[in-house]
Amino acid sequence: MTVFYDQVKERLIRYAKIDTESDPHSKTVPTTACQHDLAKEIYNELRQIGVSNVYYDTDKCVVYGQLEANVKTGKEIGFVTHMDTAPDASGKNVKPWVLENYDGKDIVLNSEKNIVMSPDVFPTLKQYIGQDLILTDGTTLLGGDDKASIAAVMTLLEYLVKHPEIKHNLISVAFTPDEEVSGLAKDLDLERFKAP
């Protein structure tokens, strides 16, 4: 549906611009302070959407929220996504852009630096002919892993809050730091998360 596409795209682009690169050599939690920037954004957005039990663990940099059940049958469900991007490439100054209706040819990410993404090198690109692609200028990671999931989960939550006629059991969400450096659920408070 177009409404979901537009919302997820807007959120992904907005989240991708926030530097959340993690650091495998750091001894702090989270491994980089910049991950708090996205955590704060998510925390505020969850509250604005109308999600309940929103909590920001500022020590562990984990954000929680829930949608209370509006039906007495079924099972609880939980979604855990991570905020950090891999330290393999810079997460600073990400410049996301949308290539509409991809034609299957080479994609010039950065003409100045001659950075080109070619289906000859990345043959799976051919699977996306006719689709819109969200890309960077080639000098940074996009952060689609896992910011696309964050965008999808937030859009789902917003939709369910606006449409209480859609029946669901308890939905718990958690947004965690440092997955890219082996820390996805290390500091997840399962009592607060409340999902099987």
Side-chain angles (χ1 to χ4, degrees):
M1 294 176 110
T2 305
V3 62
F4 296 125
Y5 170 82
D6 290 339
Q7 289 176 341
V8 171
K9 178 176 72 172
E10 180 277 325
R11 282 188 165 107
L12 174 54
I13 289 171
R14 181 161 39 93
Y15 300 153
K17 292 177 181 178
I18 301 171
D19 179 15
T20 57
E21 182 182 335
S22 51
D23 180 356
H25 307 294
S26 172
K27 303 298 182 196
T28 64
V29 176
T31 60
T32 53
C34 63
Q35 292 180 72
H36 282 288
D37 295 337
L38 182 54
K40 291 173 192 171
E41 177 87 8
I42 290 169
Y43 171 77
N44 290 328
E45 194 170 342
L46 286 171
R47 293 182 62 185
Q48 183 179 28
I49 287 170
V51 172
S52 60
N53 300 319
V54 178
Y55 178 74
Y56 174 21
D57 182 340
T58 56
D59 291 331
K60 305 293 185 185
C61 193
V62 180
V63 180
Y64 301 86
Q66 294 176 336
L67 284 186
E68 299 298 335
N70 59 13
V71 66
K72 294 184 179 182
T73 60
K75 294 186 177 181
E76 299 89 355
I77 189 168
F79 296 100
V80 179
T81 62
H82 66 91
M83 298 177 284
D84 66 315
T85 58
D88 303 332
S90 176
K92 294 178 182 165
N93 301 313
V94 177
K95 298 176 180 74
W97 61 283
V98 180
L99 173 63
E100 296 181 348
N101 194 23
Y102 174 53
D103 62 8
K105 298 177 182 173
D106 287 0
I107 301 169
V108 178
L109 298 175
N110 191 314
S111 57
E112 185 179 299
K113 298 191 176 198
N114 196 30
I115 301 174
V116 177
M117 192 162 55
S118 171
D120 294 336
V121 179
F122 303 102
T124 55
L125 276 174
K126 294 279 189 183
Q127 297 173 12
Y128 302 102
I129 292 174
Q131 297 183 35
D132 294 351
L133 305 179
I134 300 177
L135 305 160
T136 69
D137 67 355
T139 63
T140 67
L141 289 177
L142 175 65
D145 171 15
D146 198 28
K147 291 176 182 175
S149 293
I150 297 172
V153 168
M154 296 295 275
T155 301
L156 169 69
L157 295 172
E158 182 176 32
Y159 187 80
L160 290 176
V161 167
K162 288 180 177 177
H163 294 274
E165 72 277 8
I166 299 174
K167 301 302 181 191
H168 59 82
N169 210 310
L170 177 71
I171 299 173
S172 290
V173 294
F175 305 87
T176 66
D178 294 328
E179 185 273 346
E180 298 290 353
V181 291
S182 303
L184 175 61
K186 181 178 68 172
D187 294 314
L188 191 64
D189 181 343
L190 294 177
E191 286 296 312
R192 189 176 293 280
F193 185 59
K194 291 184 181 174

